[in-house]
Amino acid sequence: MLSDAKIKKAKATDKPLKMADGHGLTLYVTPAGGKIWRLRYRLEGKEQQLVLGHYPLMSLAEARDARDDARKILATGGNPAVDRKAKAQAQVEESGNTFEKIAREWHTLNLPKWTEKHGADVLVTLERDVFPAIGAIPIKDVTPVALLDALRAVEGRGAIETARRLRQRCSGVFGYAIATGRGTNDPAAQIEKAMAPLPPKGRQPAIVESFEKVREIIMRVDETPAHPVTKLAHRLLALTVVRPGTLITTPWSEFEDLAEADPTWVVPAERMKLLKGHKHDEARDHFMPLTPHAIEVIGALRKLTGRGPYVFPNGRHSHKVMSENAIGYLLNRAGYHHKHVPHGWRASFSTLMNEQRPRDRLFIDMALAHISKGEVEAAYNRAQHMKLRREIMTEWADNLIVGLMPLEQVVKMPRRA
């Protein structure tokens, strides 16, 4: 039997030195001084030899445990060498199945159903907030505590909603790992109740008290030094109540056929706030009746930007669209910081028009693209609801424009220094 003392005293010689411990376990001392644990055993009448490890990385006790494990495999008819290779291969595969590797697979798999912007956001947040903490860990070894620590750091900078979204995304990754045979559980599901609660959701600032108050917004914006295109963008936003992101990305091609008696702006589904799978469904195009006031604004814009591809081009690069912040900054300078934002026009329209026409709530919501045409098609054909919606938008515009500065004067007002 060997002992640690005997092993430490063993010296290299010109020939390999064999030191037996029992039951086939032998320590080989090489001429170069290396000490290797080997196991000799017989399988199907033939002698076999298996390297178990190197001393002192593998201690005497660990070598004996490895020998005993090999003997148990032999007792059941197995081959310790084959079993050892299989375990080594499993370890290699396991080390390759890191959280980051599987998360990137999951991301690629889901990209076709996401919009380009959302897909990029998902990957950026994972790369920034999750991969540095647990990305290199085999996915089976990621613990709830490790994941929670990573998300606590996100919460710590005040990004509570981001942390919650990341937990959901991580849960998707773990679910994918389980489905593909590389994961066993979902730590993200276990930590939900340990995360910081979401703060109460606040509404986007909007003036909704009266038409007099909303008219004042346009008046003050028109008087504030700014580029005329930005002011006209703000006025058209108020008149059409589309989403600000939809408005600023409008190409002139969508305003080509407005000479008819009842001009309608057709916003294709691909530019609407929809799931990616719905963005190529023409049935989800948004139809916005354009009032004479809106047509007048578009005419003024055509004189300023009609030669380019976009109605609202970037001030420096005409092939790009206006910044999403341009209208918001203009409202801030007009005195509406934290009082009214570009998106607030939708709330103003909904509140004031529902007060005036409570029976037309359905069609007011349709003007905001909150209800798809298919949900009411059975009860109203297009001619009927477009006629009523045009009436609603005209009433809104007529109330909004009373007493406002003429557009000819707006475009001549001083620009921002």
Side-chain angles (χ1 to χ4, degrees):
M1 297 285 289
L2 293 175
S3 66
D4 283 322
K6 289 181 181 179
I7 295 172
K8 289 178 181 178
K9 290 179 180 179
K11 303 296 181 182
T13 61
D14 292 340
K15 294 182 179 181
L17 175 64
K18 302 177 183 179
M19 303 174 67
D21 182 65
H23 298 292
L25 180 62
T26 303
L27 181 70
Y28 278 68
V29 182
T30 70
K35 297 176 180 180
I36 304 170
W37 293 110
R38 291 182 178 177
L39 177 67
R40 295 173 62 192
Y41 61 95
R42 298 189 72 81
L43 186 68
E44 296 180 352
K46 296 181 180 180
E47 185 173 290
Q48 307 284 337
Q49 189 167 255
L50 177 65
V51 174
L52 299 179
H54 292 72
Y55 183 88
L57 292 177
M58 176 180 276
S59 67
L60 174 59
E62 290 170 335
R64 287 172 175 169
D65 287 342
R67 173 199 61 194
D68 294 342
D69 289 342
R71 286 167 59 82
K72 290 177 183 178
I73 294 170
L74 284 168
T76 58
N79 185 338
V82 173
D83 182 79
R84 191 176 182 83
K85 288 181 180 179
K87 287 181 178 178
Q89 181 61 31
Q91 287 181 341
V92 170
E93 292 178 358
E94 192 67 24
S95 64
N97 288 329
T98 62
F99 179 87
E100 179 175 348
K101 176 179 180 293
I102 295 176
R104 290 186 182 277
E105 284 184 23
W106 169 82
H107 178 264
T108 301
L109 179 69
N110 285 279
L111 269 180
K113 70 178 184 182
W114 291 334
T115 63
E116 183 178 350
K117 183 177 180 181
H118 180 68
D121 176 69
V122 170
L123 187 58
V124 166
T125 54
L126 288 171
E127 290 177 337
R128 181 188 64 207
D129 299 320
V130 180
F131 291 168
I134 63 171
I137 301 176
I139 199 159
K140 286 184 178 180
D141 296 336
V142 176
T143 64
V145 173
L147 179 59
L148 184 60
D149 284 346
L151 300 185
R152 282 268 192 262
V154 180
E155 293 175 344
R157 64 173 191 257
I160 307 298
E161 289 193 35
T162 299
R164 290 262 170 176
R165 285 195 295 270
L166 277 168
R167 188 205 66 79
Q168 293 175 334
R169 291 165 185 175
C170 289
S171 185
V173 174
F174 288 117
Y176 171 70
I178 294 169
T180 55
R182 293 172 290 177
T184 55
N185 68 324
D186 180 6
Q190 302 172 40
I191 67 171
E192 183 175 9
K193 293 183 178 180
M195 297 183 67
L198 283 169
K201 275 203 170 183
R203 296 180 179 179
Q204 297 206 54
I207 302 295
V208 298
E209 289 81 1
S210 66
F211 277 105
E212 182 181 3
K213 290 290 186 181
V214 294
R215 281 196 295 269
E216 186 181 344
I217 300 173
I218 302 177
M219 291 178 183
R220 291 173 63 174
V221 165
D222 287 347
E223 295 168 355
T224 301
H227 197 287
V229 173
T230 310
K231 292 183 181 182
L232 294 175
H234 174 258
R235 190 176 289 206
L236 191 60
L237 180 68
L239 289 167
T240 60
V241 294
V242 296
R243 290 182 172 85
T246 300
L247 181 84
I248 65 169
T249 55
T250 303
W252 273 113
S253 58
E254 290 179 15
F255 288 158
E256 289 302 320
D257 300 317
L258 302 181
E260 56 192 43
D262 295 320
T264 300
W265 177 15
V266 182
V267 184
E270 63 186 21
R271 294 210 309 111
M272 296 297 292
K273 186 180 180 181
L274 297 168
L275 294 174
K276 187 174 182 178
H278 295 160
K279 283 185 172 287
H280 297 290
D281 182 0
E282 291 184 2
R284 296 178 185 273
D285 291 351
H286 180 51
F287 291 81
M288 171 54 64
L290 292 175
T291 64
H293 298 297
I295 293 295
E296 185 184 6
V297 176
I298 294 170
L301 282 162
R302 195 178 297 276
K303 294 176 182 178
L304 298 172
T305 68
R307 294 183 179 181
Y310 295 107
V311 179
F312 305 103
N314 185 285
R316 296 182 178 179
H317 307 284
S318 61
H319 62 286
K320 296 182 179 180
V321 299
M322 174 189 294
S323 166
E324 287 193 28
N325 297 321
I327 301 175
Y329 289 154
L330 175 55
L331 280 163
N332 291 346
R333 296 199 305 276
Y336 289 95
H337 188 52
H338 294 315
K339 296 178 183 178
H340 191 87
V341 296
H343 198 276
W345 279 111
R346 294 167 64 79
S348 301
F349 169 80
S350 179
T351 302
L352 295 174
M353 292 311 294
N354 272 299
E355 287 178 356
Q356 292 206 165
R357 307 176 69 112
R359 295 183 178 180
D360 293 330
R361 177 176 297 275
L362 179 68
F363 298 102
I364 291 168
D365 283 346
M366 287 183 68
L368 297 167
H370 285 169
I371 296 180
S372 70
K373 184 185 64 181
E375 292 179 59
V376 294
E377 193 66 43
Y380 301 95
N381 63 40
R382 177 178 295 181
Q384 287 175 323
H385 67 244
M386 284 303 293
K387 180 179 179 181
L388 183 53
R389 286 175 56 195
R390 188 174 299 278
E391 180 182 313
I392 291 169
M393 297 310 299
T394 300
E395 184 175 326
W396 163 253
D398 288 345
N399 278 285
L400 206 61
I401 296 299
V402 176
L404 293 187
M405 184 186 302
L407 293 183
E408 295 83 357
Q409 188 176 346
V410 172
V411 298
K412 294 178 182 178
M413 289 292 289
R415 302 191 180 193
R416 192 181 180 194

